[in-house]
Amino acid sequence: MALLTKLGNLPYPQPTDAADVPLHIQSLAEAVDGRTVLRFADVATRDTKVTAPVAGMLVWLANPGRYFHYTGTQWHPIAPGAGHKANTSTGTTTSTAYTETLTGSTGDLAAVTFTAPPSGSVLVSVGARISGSAAVACLMSANIRTGTTLTLAAADVRAAIVSGTNQCSASTQFQVGGLTVGAVCTATAAHKSAATTNTATFTNRFVTVTPLT
């Protein structure tokens, strides 16, 4: 009867065991299989192959090209770094409600897609060079979504604010908690003017999302 190693619980045969080398190698290979860095093409392939993951499992996914570990409840990226998205074009708005699109702006939205970390909390930073056509506040915040559901709307208390016609660089940070661990989320820049008579101008906009432990 095979015994198990003290640390990894890997099986090894005893002198009294039947001399079945293929069987012994198979037993060892199966025991080692779930302890190595598993490699798969994508999430779907991983989930098809690993139907009963255990805490501590480590996998590499070619798409998106990252390592993930199993926490016991979720697959999560190893040491996820901050996500950053910038848009250097200039856009304007006279909307007094937060809008994600700006007149004249080109390229993608200033939006960061991220996976909610095990803590369920991230730090969101937004900023831009901002100016107005009048001495009226121009504000930039961010909408937070889990999937397509808006979970935290842009708000003045979470906004970078510039008042006046001089172009100024402004930024702000705010913490977002209570996110569903492992969920795919987005943080998208949102902008507004404090009055429809004021044209708010934004350029060099950015959004950065930093996972918190």
Side-chain angles (χ1 to χ4, degrees):
M1 180 178 181
L3 295 181
L4 301 177
T5 59
K6 293 181 179 180
L7 299 180
N9 288 326
L10 301 178
Y12 61 94
Q14 297 301 294
T16 55
D17 291 338
D20 191 339
V21 174
L23 178 61
H24 296 320
I25 293 177
Q26 178 184 346
S27 298
L28 179 60
E30 290 176 347
V32 170
D33 195 30
R35 293 171 169 81
T36 59
V37 178
L38 307 175
R39 294 175 291 177
F40 302 109
D42 49 34
V43 169
T45 306
R46 178 199 66 197
D47 293 346
T48 298
K49 293 284 188 177
V50 186
T51 56
V54 296
M57 272 190 171
L58 182 64
V59 302
W60 164 263
L61 299 185
N63 181 14
R66 298 189 69 176
Y67 286 102
F68 290 77
H69 73 284
Y70 193 69
T71 64
T73 56
Q74 299 280 346
W75 287 104
H76 199 271
I78 292 179
H84 179 81
K85 189 66 176 291
N87 185 316
T88 58
S89 66
T90 300
T92 64
T93 186
T94 57
S95 173
T96 55
Y98 279 101
T99 178
E100 296 177 352
T101 58
L102 295 174
T103 302
S105 178
T106 59
D108 297 334
L109 293 175
V112 172
T113 299
F114 62 96
T115 301
S119 66
S121 296
V122 297
L123 183 66
V124 178
S125 305
V126 299
R129 292 177 66 185
I130 307 171
S131 63
S133 61
V136 175
C138 309
L139 303 95
M140 178 181 176
S141 185
N143 289 317
I144 311 300
R145 293 181 176 85
T146 301
T148 59
T149 302
L150 182 65
T151 52
L152 185 66
D156 294 358
V157 295
R158 294 185 293 276
I161 304 172
V162 169
S163 294
T165 58
N166 291 328
Q167 194 174 66
C168 298
S169 295
S171 65
T172 192
Q173 293 182 319
F174 57 91
Q175 184 172 338
V176 180
L179 298 171
T180 301
V181 176
V184 176
C185 306
T186 55
T188 306
H191 327 74
K192 80 171 191 178
S193 171
T196 56
T197 54
N198 174 62
T199 300
T201 300
F202 302 84
T203 189
N204 292 334
R205 294 172 292 141
F206 73 87
V207 177
T208 303
V209 178
T210 305
L212 299 177
T213 57

